[in-house]
Coordinates of all heavy atoms in Angstrom, one line a residue:
G1 N 33.3 -27.2 -5.8 CA 33.4 -27.1 -4.3 C 32.2 -27.6 -3.6 O 31.5 -28.5 -4.1
I2 N 32.0 -27.2 -2.4 CA 30.9 -27.6 -1.6 C 29.6 -27.1 -2.3 O 29.5 -25.9 -2.6 CB 31.0 -27.0 -0.2 CG1 32.3 -27.6 0.5 CG2 29.8 -27.3 0.6 CD1 32.6 -27.0 1.8
P3 N 28.6 -28.0 -2.4 CA 27.4 -27.5 -3.0 C 26.7 -26.4 -2.3 O 26.7 -26.4 -1.0 CB 26.5 -28.8 -3.0 CG 27.5 -29.9 -3.0 CD 28.6 -29.4 -2.2
Y4 N 26.1 -25.5 -3.0 CA 25.5 -24.3 -2.5 C 24.4 -24.7 -1.3 O 24.3 -24.0 -0.3 CB 24.8 -23.5 -3.6 CG 24.0 -22.3 -3.1 CD1 24.7 -21.2 -2.8 CD2 22.6 -22.3 -3.0 CE1 24.0 -20.0 -2.4 CE2 21.9 -21.2 -2.6 CZ 22.6 -20.1 -2.3 OH 22.0 -18.9 -2.0
R5 N 23.7 -25.7 -1.5 CA 22.7 -26.1 -0.5 C 23.2 -26.3 0.9 O 22.5 -26.3 1.9 CB 21.9 -27.3 -1.0 CG 22.7 -28.6 -1.0 CD 21.9 -29.8 -1.6 NE 22.7 -31.0 -1.7 CZ 23.4 -31.3 -2.8 NH1 23.4 -30.4 -3.8 NH2 24.1 -32.4 -2.9
Y6 N 24.5 -26.5 1.1 CA 25.1 -26.8 2.4 C 25.4 -25.5 3.1 O 25.8 -25.5 4.3 CB 26.4 -27.6 2.3 CG 26.1 -29.1 1.9 CD1 26.3 -29.6 0.7 CD2 25.5 -30.0 2.8 CE1 26.0 -30.8 0.3 CE2 25.2 -31.2 2.5 CZ 25.4 -31.7 1.2 OH 25.2 -33.0 0.9
F7 N 25.4 -24.3 2.4 CA 25.7 -23.1 3.1 C 24.4 -22.5 3.7 O 23.7 -21.8 3.1 CB 26.3 -22.1 2.1 CG 27.7 -22.5 1.7 CD1 27.9 -23.3 0.6 CD2 28.8 -22.1 2.5 CE1 29.2 -23.7 0.3 CE2 30.1 -22.5 2.2 CZ 30.3 -23.3 1.1
D8 N 24.1 -22.8 5.0 CA 23.0 -22.3 5.7 C 23.0 -20.8 5.9 O 24.0 -20.3 6.4 CB 23.0 -23.1 7.1 CG 21.8 -22.7 7.9 OD1 20.9 -21.9 7.5 OD2 21.6 -23.3 9.0
A9 N 22.0 -20.1 5.5 CA 22.0 -18.7 5.6 C 22.1 -18.2 7.0 O 22.5 -17.0 7.2 CB 20.7 -18.1 4.9
A10 N 21.7 -19.0 8.0 CA 21.9 -18.6 9.4 C 23.3 -18.5 9.8 O 23.6 -17.8 10.8 CB 21.1 -19.5 10.3
N11 N 24.2 -19.2 9.1 CA 25.6 -19.3 9.5 C 26.6 -18.7 8.4 O 27.7 -18.4 8.8 CB 26.0 -20.8 9.6 CG 25.2 -21.5 10.7 OD1 25.0 -20.9 11.7 ND2 24.9 -22.7 10.5
W12 N 26.1 -18.4 7.2 CA 27.0 -17.9 6.2 C 26.4 -16.7 5.5 O 25.2 -16.6 5.3 CB 27.1 -19.0 5.1 CG 28.0 -20.1 5.6 CD1 27.5 -21.3 6.2 CD2 29.4 -20.2 5.6 NE1 28.6 -22.1 6.5 CE2 29.8 -21.5 6.2 CE3 30.4 -19.3 5.2 CZ2 31.1 -21.8 6.3 CZ3 31.7 -19.8 5.3 CH2 32.0 -21.0 5.9
R13 N 27.3 -15.7 5.2 CA 26.9 -14.5 4.4 C 27.4 -14.8 3.0 O 28.6 -14.6 2.8 CB 27.5 -13.3 5.0 CG 27.1 -12.0 4.3 CD 27.6 -10.8 5.0 NE 29.1 -10.8 5.1 CZ 29.9 -10.3 4.2 NH1 29.4 -9.7 3.1 NH2 31.2 -10.4 4.4
V14 N 26.6 -15.3 2.2 CA 26.9 -15.6 0.8 C 26.9 -14.4 -0.1 O 26.0 -13.6 -0.1 CB 26.0 -16.7 0.3 CG1 26.3 -17.0 -1.2 CG2 26.0 -18.0 1.1
Q15 N 28.0 -14.2 -0.8 CA 28.1 -13.1 -1.8 C 28.4 -13.8 -3.2 O 29.4 -14.5 -3.3 CB 29.2 -12.2 -1.6 CG 29.3 -11.1 -2.6 CD 28.1 -10.3 -2.8 OE1 27.6 -9.6 -1.9 NE2 27.5 -10.4 -4.0
L16 N 27.5 -13.7 -4.1 CA 27.6 -14.3 -5.5 C 28.2 -13.2 -6.4 O 27.9 -12.1 -6.4 CB 26.2 -14.7 -6.0 CG 25.4 -15.7 -5.1 CD1 24.0 -15.9 -5.6 CD2 26.2 -17.0 -5.0
Y17 N 29.1 -13.8 -7.3 CA 29.8 -12.9 -8.3 C 29.6 -13.4 -9.6 O 29.5 -14.7 -9.8 CB 31.3 -12.9 -8.0 CG 31.7 -12.2 -6.7 CD1 31.7 -12.8 -5.5 CD2 32.0 -10.8 -6.8 CE1 32.0 -12.1 -4.3 CE2 32.3 -10.1 -5.6 CZ 32.3 -10.8 -4.4 OH 32.6 -10.1 -3.2
G18 N 29.5 -12.6 -10.6 CA 29.4 -12.9 -12.0 C 28.0 -13.5 -12.3 O 27.0 -13.1 -11.8
N19 N 28.0 -14.5 -13.2 CA 26.7 -15.2 -13.6 C 26.9 -16.6 -13.4 O 28.0 -17.2 -13.5 CB 26.5 -14.9 -15.2 CG 26.4 -13.4 -15.4 OD1 25.6 -12.7 -14.8 ND2 27.2 -12.9 -16.3
Y20 N 25.8 -17.3 -13.3 CA 25.8 -18.8 -13.1 C 25.7 -19.4 -14.5 O 24.7 -19.1 -15.2 CB 24.7 -19.3 -12.2 CG 24.8 -20.8 -12.1 CD1 25.8 -21.3 -11.2 CD2 24.1 -21.7 -12.8 CE1 25.9 -22.7 -11.1 CE2 24.2 -23.0 -12.7 CZ 25.2 -23.5 -11.8 OH 25.3 -24.9 -11.7
E21 N 26.7 -20.2 -14.9 CA 26.6 -20.9 -16.2 C 26.7 -22.4 -15.9 O 27.4 -22.8 -14.9 CB 27.8 -20.5 -17.0 CG 27.9 -19.0 -17.4 CD 26.8 -18.6 -18.4 OE1 26.3 -19.4 -19.2 OE2 26.4 -17.4 -18.3
K22 N 26.0 -23.2 -16.6 CA 26.1 -24.6 -16.4 C 27.5 -25.1 -16.6 O 28.2 -24.7 -17.6 CB 25.2 -25.3 -17.5 CG 25.2 -26.8 -17.3 CD 24.2 -27.4 -18.4 CE 24.3 -28.9 -18.3 NZ 23.4 -29.6 -19.2
P23 N 28.0 -25.9 -15.7 CA 29.3 -26.5 -15.9 C 29.4 -27.3 -17.2 O 28.4 -27.8 -17.7 CB 29.5 -27.4 -14.7 CG 28.5 -26.9 -13.7 CD 27.4 -26.4 -14.5
Y24 N 30.6 -27.3 -17.8 CA 30.6 -28.0 -19.1 C 31.5 -29.2 -19.1 O 32.2 -29.5 -18.1 CB 31.2 -27.0 -20.2 CG 32.5 -26.5 -19.8 CD1 33.7 -27.1 -20.2 CD2 32.7 -25.3 -19.0 CE1 35.0 -26.6 -19.9 CE2 34.0 -24.9 -18.6 CZ 35.1 -25.5 -19.1 OH 36.3 -25.1 -18.8
G25 N 31.5 -30.0 -20.2 CA 32.3 -31.2 -20.3 C 32.1 -32.2 -19.2 O 31.0 -32.5 -18.8
S26 N 33.2 -32.7 -18.7 CA 33.1 -33.8 -17.6 C 32.6 -33.3 -16.3 O 32.3 -34.0 -15.4 CB 34.4 -34.4 -17.5 OG 35.4 -33.5 -17.0
F27 N 32.4 -31.9 -16.2 CA 31.9 -31.3 -15.0 C 30.4 -31.0 -15.0 O 29.8 -30.5 -14.1 CB 32.6 -30.0 -14.6 CG 34.0 -30.3 -14.3 CD1 35.1 -30.1 -15.2 CD2 34.4 -30.7 -13.0 CE1 36.4 -30.3 -14.9 CE2 35.8 -31.0 -12.7 CZ 36.8 -30.7 -13.7
A28 N 29.7 -31.4 -16.1 CA 28.3 -31.1 -16.3 C 27.4 -31.7 -15.2 O 26.4 -31.0 -14.9 CB 27.9 -31.6 -17.7
W29 N 27.8 -32.7 -14.6 CA 27.0 -33.3 -13.6 C 27.0 -32.5 -12.3 O 26.2 -32.8 -11.4 CB 27.5 -34.8 -13.3 CG 28.9 -34.8 -12.7 CD1 30.1 -34.8 -13.4 CD2 29.3 -34.9 -11.3 NE1 31.1 -34.8 -12.5 CE2 30.6 -34.9 -11.2 CE3 28.5 -35.0 -10.1 CZ2 31.3 -35.0 -10.0 CZ3 29.1 -35.0 -8.9 CH2 30.5 -35.0 -8.8
L30 N 27.9 -31.5 -12.2 CA 27.9 -30.6 -11.0 C 26.9 -29.4 -11.1 O 26.9 -28.6 -10.2 CB 29.4 -30.0 -10.9 CG 30.5 -31.1 -10.6 CD1 31.8 -30.4 -10.7 CD2 30.2 -31.7 -9.2
E31 N 26.1 -29.4 -12.1 CA 25.1 -28.3 -12.1 C 24.3 -28.3 -10.9 O 23.9 -29.3 -10.3 CB 24.2 -28.5 -13.4 CG 23.2 -27.4 -13.5 CD 22.5 -27.4 -14.8 OE1 22.4 -28.4 -15.5 OE2 21.8 -26.4 -15.1
Q32 N 24.0 -27.1 -10.4 CA 23.3 -26.9 -9.1 C 22.1 -26.0 -9.3 O 22.2 -24.8 -9.4 CB 24.2 -26.2 -8.1 CG 25.4 -27.0 -7.8 CD 26.3 -26.3 -6.8 OE1 25.8 -26.0 -5.7 NE2 27.5 -26.1 -7.0
P33 N 20.9 -26.6 -9.5 CA 19.7 -25.8 -9.7 C 19.4 -24.8 -8.6 O 18.9 -23.7 -8.9 CB 18.6 -26.9 -9.7 CG 19.3 -28.2 -10.1 CD 20.7 -28.0 -9.5
D34 N 19.7 -25.1 -7.4 CA 19.5 -24.2 -6.2 C 20.4 -22.9 -6.4 O 20.1 -21.9 -6.1 CB 19.7 -24.9 -4.9 CG 20.9 -25.6 -4.7 OD1 21.6 -26.0 -5.7 OD2 21.3 -25.9 -3.6
L35 N 21.7 -23.2 -6.8 CA 22.6 -22.1 -7.1 C 22.1 -21.2 -8.2 O 22.2 -20.0 -8.2 CB 24.0 -22.6 -7.3 CG 25.1 -21.6 -7.5 CD1 25.1 -20.6 -6.3 CD2 26.4 -22.3 -7.7
R36 N 21.6 -21.9 -9.3 CA 21.1 -21.1 -10.4 C 19.9 -20.2 -10.0 O 19.8 -19.1 -10.3 CB 20.6 -22.1 -11.5 CG 20.0 -21.3 -12.7 CD 19.5 -22.3 -13.8 NE 20.6 -23.2 -14.3 CZ 21.5 -22.8 -15.2 NH1 21.5 -21.5 -15.6 NH2 22.4 -23.6 -15.6
K37 N 19.1 -20.8 -9.1 CA 17.9 -20.0 -8.6 C 18.5 -18.8 -7.7 O 17.9 -17.7 -7.8 CB 17.0 -20.9 -7.7 CG 15.8 -20.2 -7.2 CD 14.9 -21.1 -6.4 CE 13.8 -20.3 -5.8 NZ 12.9 -21.1 -5.0
A38 N 19.5 -19.0 -7.0 CA 20.1 -18.0 -6.1 C 20.6 -16.8 -7.0 O 20.4 -15.7 -6.7 CB 21.2 -18.5 -5.2
Y39 N 21.2 -17.2 -8.1 CA 21.8 -16.2 -9.0 C 20.6 -15.4 -9.7 O 20.7 -14.2 -10.0 CB 22.6 -16.8 -10.1 CG 24.1 -16.8 -9.8 CD1 24.6 -17.9 -9.1 CD2 24.9 -15.7 -10.1 CE1 26.0 -17.9 -8.8 CE2 26.2 -15.7 -9.7 CZ 26.8 -16.8 -9.1 OH 28.1 -16.8 -8.7
A40 N 19.4 -16.1 -9.8 CA 18.3 -15.4 -10.4 C 17.6 -14.5 -9.5 O 16.9 -13.5 -9.9 CB 17.4 -16.4 -11.0
T41 N 17.7 -14.7 -8.1 CA 16.9 -14.0 -7.2 C 17.7 -13.1 -6.2 O 17.1 -12.2 -5.6 CB 16.0 -15.0 -6.4 OG1 16.9 -15.9 -5.7 CG2 15.0 -15.7 -7.3
L42 N 18.9 -13.4 -5.9 CA 19.7 -12.7 -5.0 C 20.6 -11.7 -5.8 O 20.9 -11.8 -6.9 CB 20.7 -13.6 -4.2 CG 20.0 -14.7 -3.4 CD1 21.0 -15.6 -2.7 CD2 19.1 -14.0 -2.3
P43 N 21.0 -10.6 -5.1 CA 21.9 -9.6 -5.7 C 23.3 -10.3 -5.9 O 23.8 -11.1 -5.1 CB 22.0 -8.5 -4.6 CG 21.4 -9.0 -3.4 CD 20.7 -10.2 -3.7
T44 N 23.9 -9.9 -7.0 CA 25.2 -10.4 -7.3 C 26.2 -9.2 -7.7 O 25.7 -8.1 -7.9 CB 25.2 -11.3 -8.6 OG1 24.7 -10.6 -9.7 CG2 24.3 -12.5 -8.4
K45 N 27.5 -9.5 -7.6 CA 28.4 -8.5 -7.9 C 29.1 -8.9 -9.2 O 29.2 -10.1 -9.5 CB 29.5 -8.3 -6.8 CG 28.9 -7.7 -5.6 CD 29.9 -7.5 -4.6 CE 29.4 -6.7 -3.3 NZ 30.4 -6.4 -2.4

């Protein structure tokens, strides 16, 4: 979907669920380092 970096915290209340895993196969190019960092630093459900 829309890359994490486009969700401005001033306009969006982001809630992360589960764990961030690198996309696999033909989707590997969709890896999002900023989203991985968010999972490591923000609360998740």
Side-chain angles (χ1 to χ4, degrees):
I2 297 171
Y4 178 77
R5 68 182 173 273
Y6 289 105
F7 289 91
D8 182 356
N11 299 320
W12 289 94
R13 184 176 56 94
V14 173
Q15 177 59 62
L16 302 173
Y17 290 85
N19 300 305
Y20 183 79
E21 300 291 332
K22 179 180 177 177
Y24 60 91
S26 61
F27 295 100
W29 67 275
L30 294 173
E31 185 171 11
Q32 299 182 55
D34 54 341
L35 183 55
R36 181 180 298 284
K37 182 179 177 182
Y39 267 92
T41 59
L42 298 175
T44 62
K45 292 187 177 184

